[in-house]
Amino acid sequence: MAGIDCGTNSIRLLIADVADGGLTDVARRMEIVRLGEGVDRTGRLSAEALSRTRKALLGYAAEIAELGVNRVRMCATSASRDAENAQEFRDMVRGVLGVDPEVISGTEEAALSFTGAVAGLQAERPCLVVDIGGGSTEFVTGSDRVDHAISMDIGCVRMTERHIHSDPPSAAEIHNAERDIAAAVDIALTAVPGRAATTLVGLAGTVTTVTALAQNLPSYDATRIHHAEVSLADVSRVTADLLAMPVAERLALPVMHPGRADVIGAGALILRTIMERSGHDSLIASEHDILDGIAFSLA
């Protein structure tokens, strides 16, 4: 099976064998394509963003063909939901992959993320699962299945484009971002309801990068990040450090993906705010997320 997750910032591929209710990875790939660049301002996917995404998809399509994949499902999330020219994106995907991308709702995105995150997780339930993306953040509560879910338009790319214009960001820019994020987080935590959850689980690149930085890893190591527990104190420290750095310094961090360096400050700010306002003093980071949920759905 092949699952593809196309978000606002990155496009990712998981090719896996599915058997006996579990996944065995064959290949995992990730490319930063910034599909949602400028969408918050213009309402459209740019020609440059579509070109970057097409290039990444061509590579994925070649690997899918080479490995003899039986079924492919591609889900597209925040940016392609919001854009006026989403049909142009869908036509491009169909031409490259031979399948239509499913432009899923925020609620379905949340459900797939939850499925991927809790599979194999040994933790007290119920869980609050937060998936911090480029354009949106999903909040999901449940034990073995989803009880409540909501998607909010706060993501690392959207908040950076909306509020952070200096390098490093000014105190006023950080304050305005925090205020915007906090308002959305409070709505989400009431809707799901997240403050009553026993365990907080964090997904996606912001969370895994902050976790790697909190652990002072010499290089990105998914095996040490997956299911690692990170304290609010460490998240707060890493967030403050990142917001104080210019992008050039962030790029020099050994665990930093180059395509994430300019937006990680806003992403860390979202994570810290969620922890503070949900009352959780620690979270469990997960390398398994919507991509795994997509693969499970094919079975």
Side-chain angles (χ1 to χ4, degrees):
M1 311 292 186
I4 300 174
D5 166 40
C6 185
T8 300
N9 197 42
S10 64
I11 184 166
R12 300 178 302 142
L13 167 71
L14 169 61
I15 297 175
D17 290 324
V18 184
D20 300 323
L23 296 178
T24 302
D25 286 15
V26 176
R28 281 185 189 259
R29 306 282 182 258
M30 190 271 286
E31 299 284 345
I32 300 288
V33 295
R34 200 65 59 85
L35 177 64
E37 186 173 42
V39 166
D40 193 52
R41 175 176 51 84
T42 68
R44 295 181 61 81
L45 301 169
S46 72
E48 295 80 8
L50 286 168
S51 177
R52 292 192 297 266
T53 305
R54 183 176 185 275
K55 181 179 177 182
L57 276 175
L58 284 168
Y60 290 173
E63 189 160 11
I64 285 168
E66 181 183 346
L67 290 171
V69 169
N70 299 116
R71 299 182 66 191
V72 179
R73 184 184 185 192
M74 176 173 171
C75 294
T77 53
S78 180
S80 49
R81 280 199 302 265
D82 301 340
E84 294 172 4
N85 60 334
Q87 186 61 48
E88 186 178 350
F89 165 76
R90 290 192 288 269
D91 291 344
M92 180 272 288
V93 172
R94 191 182 307 111
V96 173
L97 280 181
V99 299
D100 288 318
E102 298 176 44
V103 183
I104 59 176
S105 68
T107 302
E108 186 174 1
E109 182 179 355
L112 288 169
S113 295
F114 185 86
T115 299
V118 301
L121 176 67
Q122 302 298 317
E124 287 189 63
R125 312 295 172 98
C127 298
L128 166 62
V129 175
V130 293
D131 185 347
I132 302 172
S136 64
T137 295
E138 281 61 59
F139 297 75
V140 198
T141 53
S143 294
D144 296 317
R145 59 178 179 80
V146 173
D147 292 330
H148 305 279
I150 190 170
S151 178
M152 303 300 294
D153 281 341
I154 50 170
C156 58
V157 174
R158 194 184 297 270
M159 291 297 98
T160 299
E161 291 185 351
R162 188 177 292 177
H163 296 292
I164 295 176
H165 311 295
S166 306
D167 184 27
S170 68
E173 289 169 350
I174 294 170
H175 173 74
N176 289 337
E178 281 181 309
R179 186 172 55 187
D180 197 0
I181 293 164
V185 168
D186 284 346
I187 291 170
L189 292 174
T190 300
V192 285
R195 295 182 179 91
T198 306
T199 302
L200 174 63
V201 183
L203 314 181
T206 286
V207 172
T208 57
T209 302
V210 168
T211 300
L213 291 169
Q215 293 179 315
N216 295 309
L217 296 183
S219 61
Y220 193 94
D221 184 347
T223 61
R224 294 186 61 183
I225 294 166
H226 187 50
H227 290 173
E229 188 168 359
V230 190
S231 69
L232 172 57
D234 281 342
V235 169
S236 297
R237 172 181 57 81
V238 170
T239 301
D241 289 347
L242 288 169
L243 290 170
M245 291 179 190
V247 172
E249 285 187 26
R250 296 178 192 171
L251 282 166
L253 297 170
V255 300
M256 186 67 63
H257 189 288
R260 207 176 299 285
D262 60 332
V263 296
I264 188 67
L269 203 54
I270 295 168
L271 177 59
R272 187 184 75 187
T273 303
I274 290 170
M275 294 184 73
E276 289 173 342
R277 301 185 88 83
S278 68
H280 288 89
D281 57 10
S282 68
L283 88 152
I284 295 173
S286 177
E287 286 277 349
H288 294 175
D289 51 29
I290 186 173
L291 200 53
D292 301 78
I294 294 168
F296 273 122
S297 75
L298 290 172

